[in-house]
Amino acid sequence: MFSDPLTVRFAGPHQESLLGALVDHAHVEVSVSPDAVCDLSFLQLLEAARVYAGTAGRVVSLSRAAEGGLLDLLERSGFLSAMTPEDRRFWLHEGVTP
């Protein structure tokens, strides 16, 4: 869904794309390449989309568990240390059956 880089410089267009998809579809699956360049703004965008989707009766999911640069960013930013079970399902696909 998103093109690289997933950084603050491109946060506006990525937000518009994600919001548009959520308006048009009940379930939006986000695909992030393992070698994608991403920063904290992308994590914030996905977290905001999850909150919005939950309040709007929509669903946002990752096409696969976070890996590569995204997983590294989750670890460096402290997301992994304070995850709820719901967060672990979203980001790491723990407890998700294929």
Side-chain angles (χ1 to χ4, degrees):
M1 169 181 242
F2 291 109
S3 59
D4 201 24
L6 305 170
T7 61
V8 69
R9 184 174 199 172
F10 301 96
H14 291 321
Q15 179 206 19
E16 290 175 16
S17 174
L18 186 53
L19 184 57
L22 282 168
V23 167
D24 294 339
H25 306 283
H27 183 188
V28 174
E29 187 174 83
V30 177
S31 179
V32 180
S33 170
D35 60 348
V37 175
C38 48
D39 67 13
L40 194 54
S41 67
F42 185 67
L43 295 183
Q44 292 170 324
L45 175 63
L46 286 179
E47 283 295 303
R50 286 176 61 198
V51 170
Y52 170 78
T55 62
R58 310 277 185 187
V59 175
V60 173
S61 65
L62 293 178
S63 61
R64 62 178 170 257
E67 58 185 336
L70 181 58
L71 183 59
D72 182 55
L73 180 60
L74 285 166
E75 185 173 358
R76 286 183 292 121
S77 64
F79 269 68
L80 294 179
S81 63
M83 285 187 159
T84 66
E86 183 179 324
D87 294 336
R88 296 189 80 73
R89 276 190 300 280
F90 178 79
W91 292 106
L92 306 175
H93 288 200
E94 287 186 4
V96 175
T97 54

